[in-house]
């Protein structure tokens, strides 16, 4: 089965994770080496984060330098969320007012131009509201707290994998002592790869 590529938001979150974990300043070529290879267009992802004030960019000489620190990103995110929430609340108010106007227009039995216009406006407001909700979701992905949770989950998974590695080494050692098996035969019979080792 074909592996599903990362969504644009997952790519943005991965990129923010690189910045937050390293707290370093990068050029585009550095990020292209570090970023996951899953068809990630580093340049586009980076530009979208710069446009949303999540990442800073400064031209020095002939090169662009990029950086993002959790505190700055958090403030930018909060500002954007407040702005989106206020637009959403304003949209909801307009929606409610329009709904009332439509109810009034329905009282007249004939389809009026006014009613048609209001219905169109209501439909456009609904679309705007959905777009705003989607954008609010988008900003959750770049939350430093979410990135930290991902990091912790990776750490737990790595520790678990290394515990299993311990167990496998212990079983191999026991089998060698008990049955006098050669290590490469144990590996072959149990499908253990030659380069099997702990995860750094």
């Amino acid at each position: 089965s074909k592996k599903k590529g990362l969504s644009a938001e997952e790519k943005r979150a991965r990129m923010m994770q690189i910045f937050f974990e390293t707290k370093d300043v990068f050029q585009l070529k550095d990020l292209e080496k570090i970023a996951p290879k899953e068809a990630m267009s580093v340049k586009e992802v980076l530009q979208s984060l710069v446009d949303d004030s999540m990442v800073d960019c400064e031209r020095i000489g002939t090169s662009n330098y990029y950086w993002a620190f959790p505190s700055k990103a958090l403030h930018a995110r909060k500002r954007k969320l407040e702005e989106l929430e206020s637009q959403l609340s304003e949209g909801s108010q307009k929606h409610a007012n329009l709904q009332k106007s439509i109810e009034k227009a329905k009282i007249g039995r004939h389809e009026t131009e006014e009613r048609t216009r209001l219905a169109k406006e209501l439909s456009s407001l609904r679309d705007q509201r959905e777009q705003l909700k989607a954008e609010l979701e988008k900003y959750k992905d770049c939350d430093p707290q979410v990135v930290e949770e991902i990091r912790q989950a990776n750490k737990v998974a790595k520790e678990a994998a290394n515990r299993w590695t311990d167990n496998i080494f212990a079983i191999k050692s026991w089998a060698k002592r008990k049955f006098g098996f050669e290590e490469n035969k144990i590996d072959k019979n149990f499908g253990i790869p030659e380069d099997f080792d702990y995860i750094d």
Side-chain angles (χ1 to χ4, degrees):
S1 68
K2 215 174 174 189
K3 189 165 180 260
K4 191 173 148 288
L6 290 177
S7 74
E9 286 328 307
E10 284 169 328
K11 289 178 187 178
R12 282 164 58 95
R14 290 272 181 102
M15 184 69 77
M16 291 310 287
Q17 190 175 355
I18 292 169
F19 282 116
F20 292 161
E21 286 183 353
T22 58
K23 298 186 175 62
D24 208 346
V25 176
F26 297 98
Q27 284 182 255
L28 178 60
K29 60 181 181 200
D30 304 326
L31 285 164
E32 282 175 332
K33 283 179 200 158
I34 303 169
K37 295 288 183 288
E38 294 124 309
M40 189 187 217
S41 164
V42 173
K43 198 172 180 181
E44 284 171 31
V45 175
L46 209 46
Q47 192 53 53
S48 83
L49 289 166
V50 170
D51 292 344
D52 287 339
S53 309
M54 303 287 287
V55 171
D56 286 303
C57 173
E58 189 73 52
R59 193 168 183 79
I60 300 168
T62 55
S63 303
N64 284 334
Y65 289 83
Y66 300 90
W67 68 93
F69 300 120
S71 56
K72 161 96 173 27
L74 192 58
H75 288 311
R77 208 180 122 270
K78 270 188 182 160
R79 267 204 315 279
K80 187 73 179 175
L81 281 175
E82 281 163 12
E83 187 187 308
L84 288 170
E85 273 162 0
S86 121
Q87 285 178 23
L88 194 56
S89 134
E90 200 180 298
S92 298
Q93 190 52 53
K94 274 188 184 171
H95 183 277
N97 292 345
L98 269 171
Q99 197 70 56
K100 280 182 196 161
S101 306
I102 283 178
E103 288 311 315
K104 272 189 197 168
K106 272 184 184 168
I107 295 165
R109 243 177 316 167
H110 303 296
E111 189 75 23
T112 62
E113 275 182 32
E114 174 70 356
R115 186 174 156 191
T116 310
R117 186 183 66 76
L118 287 171
K120 266 189 192 161
E121 210 172 318
L122 180 64
S123 163
S124 141
L125 264 173
R126 275 187 189 135
D127 292 346
Q128 274 177 325
R129 197 162 64 158
E130 287 313 309
Q131 273 178 322
L132 283 169
K133 278 184 184 166
E135 206 160 337
L136 277 169
E137 280 303 310
K138 186 171 94 173
Y139 279 85
K140 282 182 189 161
D141 286 341
C142 294
D143 188 334
Q145 196 181 334
V146 174
V147 170
E148 181 55 31
E149 281 167 15
I150 293 169
R151 217 158 60 80
Q152 288 305 326
N154 285 346
K155 191 177 160 197
V156 170
K158 191 166 85 173
E159 284 167 2
N162 283 336
R163 270 201 307 279
W164 277 103
T165 305
D166 271 341
N167 295 343
I168 289 166
F169 279 139
I171 290 166
K172 272 170 69 170
S173 157
W174 173 81
K176 276 195 287 188
R177 280 200 319 276
K178 179 99 175 156
F179 305 109
F181 288 160
E182 289 172 32
E183 187 155 348
N184 60 356
K185 278 195 179 151
I186 299 174
D187 288 350
K188 200 173 172 191
N189 285 330
F190 291 97
I192 300 168
E194 278 178 39
D195 58 356
F196 180 75
D197 207 344
Y198 293 97
I199 297 171
D200 291 333

